[in-house]
């Protein structure tokens, strides 16, 4: 499974950006996909996930501002980010995961930098 992210860049506070991730390769049935981020000096954190059922989960810090969606036909997962704030500055990573015997396996994209200026 390979994940290729695109989008990101520089935006002013209050602005919007979108990220897109294409998931390719045959193999496991993906259970959940979405986005994580890692700011300088911080651990990687979950931003938004969407499950095969369509259920979505969000970090409290982005609820109401970010929207995760998927296109099953295109095998893509997108993140629309609105009303962005400087604290959203981070490297954003596309993620997909599935269950394996005895656990859960994650796949990661290469990361894309998002910078929000004040």
């Amino acid at each position: 499974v390979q994940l290729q992210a695109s989008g990101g860049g520089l935006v002013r506070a209050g602005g919007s950006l979108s990220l897109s991730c294409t998931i390719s390769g045959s193999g496991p049935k993906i259970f959940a996909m979405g986005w994580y981020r890692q700011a300088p000096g911080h651990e990687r954190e979950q931003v938004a996930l969407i499950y095969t059922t369509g259920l979505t989960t969000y970090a409290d810090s982005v609820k109401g501002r970010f929207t995760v969606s998927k296109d099953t036909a295109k095998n893509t997962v997108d993140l629309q980010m609105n009303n962005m704030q400087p604290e959203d500055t981070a490297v954003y990573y596309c993620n997909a995961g599935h269950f394996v015997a005895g656990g859960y396996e994650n796949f990661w994209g290469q990361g894309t930098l998002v910078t929000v200026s004040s």
Side-chain angles (χ1 to χ4, degrees), residues 1 23 25-31 97-100 105 107:
V1 177
I23 302 171
S26 61
K29 178 177 174 59
I30 298 299
F31 173 70
H98 73 111
F99 289 103
V100 296
E105 182 178 23
F107 301 97

Side-chain angles (χ1 to χ4, degrees), residues 28-109:
K29 178 177 174 59
I30 298 299
F31 173 70
M33 60 186 79
W35 298 88
Y36 287 66
R37 68 186 180 187
Q38 187 167 16
H42 291 77
E43 295 186 353
R44 188 174 297 188
E45 64 171 351
Q46 181 180 305
V47 176
L49 290 179
I50 184 165
Y51 298 84
T52 53
T53 59
L55 176 71
T56 56
T57 59
Y58 295 92
D60 287 343
S61 59
V62 307
K63 283 181 180 177
R65 301 188 298 121
F66 290 12
T67 302
V68 63
S69 61
K70 64 183 175 79
D71 186 325
T72 304
K74 295 181 180 179
N75 277 342
T76 59
V77 56
D78 298 329
L79 185 67
Q80 177 64 42
M81 303 180 287
N82 298 326
N83 188 23
M84 298 189 72
Q85 302 301 314
E87 53 265 35
D88 295 320
T89 296
V91 176
Y92 283 69
Y93 295 91
C94 178
N95 167 270
H98 73 111
F99 289 103
V100 296
Y104 191 80
E105 182 178 23
N106 283 292
F107 301 97
W108 298 97

